[in-house]
């Protein structure tokens, strides 16, 4: 009961913050990344946590289903933390993001890594997948935390582009947050309380599109069974930066490894 009262008491502050976020998602992401000053465990970016513990959950699927001789494209790469992790496991890794400021930051954090590259691109735009396929050939795809911030129509557009990238040999590894409660209970689970919203969460509420959730049903809607084979999927834990005095912040998530039919 107290939890629900607390959540309701957060409404005015959350509504005031949410009004600040631009309606156009591209402008929102660019604005968000252009204002980021610090990344990493003690930084301002909610999802930019240490990789180790979370990555262990994907290792078996990567080893079993992905052709490690193909390059990999990190779709919606943000500041490139996972692109750098992928570059140690594949011949080359390309991070793409709709926000130019994210790409600039990713490149600045990745100097002296010869097999890592970054590019600004809206992966929901028609033809974006074909463009990447022409430049890089068939490739694997990694995507973390992008589908759950897209509307259903954009999710389908993105999945269609991924199909063009992977061709016959590439695979998609997607991993998304899948918190099934309402936005207020989600914020509460991340440590928000009336009058006290952790800074990384405050920046997200006031800057970027409202997140949804993404589980098996949402995956099936975006990646129809007629076009995709699911090789492995299941629940995972997504790590976010520590907030409200915690040593870590864990969010229920969903991962899927897929190939195109
Ligand atoms: C929640 S962040 C996740 C960043 C990164 N994948 C990670 O896990 O650290 C979502 C990212 O997707 C990018 N993004 C959103 N829509 C996109 C689109 N249509 N095409 C490419 N990138 C997009 C945003 O700019 C942002 O960097």
């Amino acid at each position: 009961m107290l939890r629900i009262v607390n959540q309701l008491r957060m409404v005015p502050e959350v509504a005031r913050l949410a009004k600040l976020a631009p309606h156009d998602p591209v402008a929102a992401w660019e604005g968000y990344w252009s204002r980021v000053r610090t990344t990493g465990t003690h930084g301002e970016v909610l999802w930019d946590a240490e990789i180790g513990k979370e990555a262990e959950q994907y290792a078996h699927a990567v080893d079993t289903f992905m052709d490690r001789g193909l390059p990999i494209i990190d779709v919606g790469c943000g500041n490139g933390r996972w692109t750098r992790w992928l570059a140690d496991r594949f011949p080359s890794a390309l991070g793409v993001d709709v926000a130019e400021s994210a790409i600039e930051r990713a490149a600045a954090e990745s100097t002296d890594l010869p097999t890592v590259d970054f590019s600004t691109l809206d992966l929901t735009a028609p033809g974006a997948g074909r463009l990447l396929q022409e430049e890089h050939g068939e490739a694997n795809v990694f995507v973390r935390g992008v589908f759950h911030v897209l509307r259903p129509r954009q999710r389908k557009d993105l999945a269609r582009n991924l199909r063009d990238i992977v061709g016959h040999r590439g695979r998609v590894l997607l991993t998304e947050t899948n918190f099934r409660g309402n936005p207020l209970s989600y914020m509460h689970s991340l440590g928000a309380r009336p009058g006290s919203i952790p800074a990384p969460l405050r920046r997200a509420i006031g800057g970027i599109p409202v997140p949804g959730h993404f589980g098996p049903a949402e995956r099936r809607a975006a990646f129809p069974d007629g076009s995709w084979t699911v090789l492995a999927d299941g629940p995972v834990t997504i790590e976010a930066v520590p907030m409200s005095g915690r040593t870590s912040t864990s969010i229920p998530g969903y991962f899927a490894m897929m190939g195109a039919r």
Side-chain angles (χ1 to χ4, degrees):
M1 187 64 183
L2 180 63
R3 177 180 297 200
I4 293 173
V5 171
N6 270 342
Q7 287 173 20
L8 291 174
R9 285 177 56 216
M10 291 193 303
V11 169
E13 193 177 3
V14 170
R16 190 179 50 75
L17 281 173
K19 256 201 212 149
L20 301 173
H23 289 299
D24 171 30
V26 178
W29 282 112
E30 176 52 34
Y32 176 85
W33 281 111
S34 68
R35 286 188 290 274
V36 167
R37 284 159 317 194
T38 54
T39 55
T41 312
H42 302 292
E44 301 167 336
V45 178
L46 183 63
W47 51 85
D48 190 33
E50 285 296 320
I51 282 184
K53 207 164 95 185
E54 185 183 325
E56 281 169 23
Q57 303 168 102
Y58 314 132
H60 180 70
V62 168
D63 288 346
T64 310
F65 297 111
M66 285 181 137
D67 181 340
R68 299 280 278 266
L70 292 180
I72 191 155
I73 299 183
D74 181 8
V75 168
C77 64
N79 56 311
R81 182 171 303 278
W82 284 86
T83 322
R84 294 185 284 279
W85 180 83
L86 292 162
D88 282 342
R89 287 152 184 87
F90 293 87
S92 64
L94 172 72
V96 290
D97 201 285
V98 73
E100 199 171 343
S101 293
I103 292 303
E104 283 167 7
R105 176 165 283 275
E109 291 184 14
S110 311
T111 49
D112 297 331
L113 295 176
T115 62
V116 176
D117 204 359
F118 294 99
S119 178
T120 308
L121 192 61
D122 179 351
L123 256 292
T124 61
R130 269 200 311 282
L131 190 80
L132 288 173
Q133 208 273 343
E134 280 162 17
E135 274 178 30
H136 302 277
E138 284 182 346
N140 291 307
V141 167
F142 177 80
V143 49
R144 175 181 184 261
V146 181
F147 277 90
H148 80 289
V149 293
L150 298 178
R151 305 280 74 86
R153 165 117 183 267
Q154 295 175 301
R155 291 174 178 178
K156 288 185 182 166
D157 294 339
L158 175 53
R160 242 177 258 126
N161 278 324
L162 300 192
R163 196 159 187 266
D164 288 334
I165 297 173
V166 297
H168 297 294
R169 290 194 299 147
R171 299 284 179 262
V172 174
L173 169 54
L174 79 77
T175 182
E176 295 287 333
T177 59
N178 191 27
F179 185 90
R180 303 308 290 193
N182 65 50
L184 285 175
S185 58
Y186 181 48
M187 291 171 211
H188 194 267
S189 77
L190 295 177
R193 299 292 179 267
S196 159
I197 298 179
L201 181 57
R202 173 179 289 276
R203 295 189 76 260
I205 300 168
I208 57 176
V210 180
H213 48 246
F214 197 88
E218 290 76 21
R219 191 260 308 143
R220 207 168 296 115
F223 295 83
D225 289 343
S227 306
W228 294 91
T229 307
V230 177
L231 302 162
D233 74 337
V236 285
T237 301
I238 305 285
E239 298 297 332
V241 294
M243 287 179 283
S244 301
R246 304 171 183 188
T247 50
S248 69
T249 306
S250 301
I251 305 170
Y254 168 75
F255 100 100
M257 176 71 78
M258 292 172 287
R261 285 190 197 272

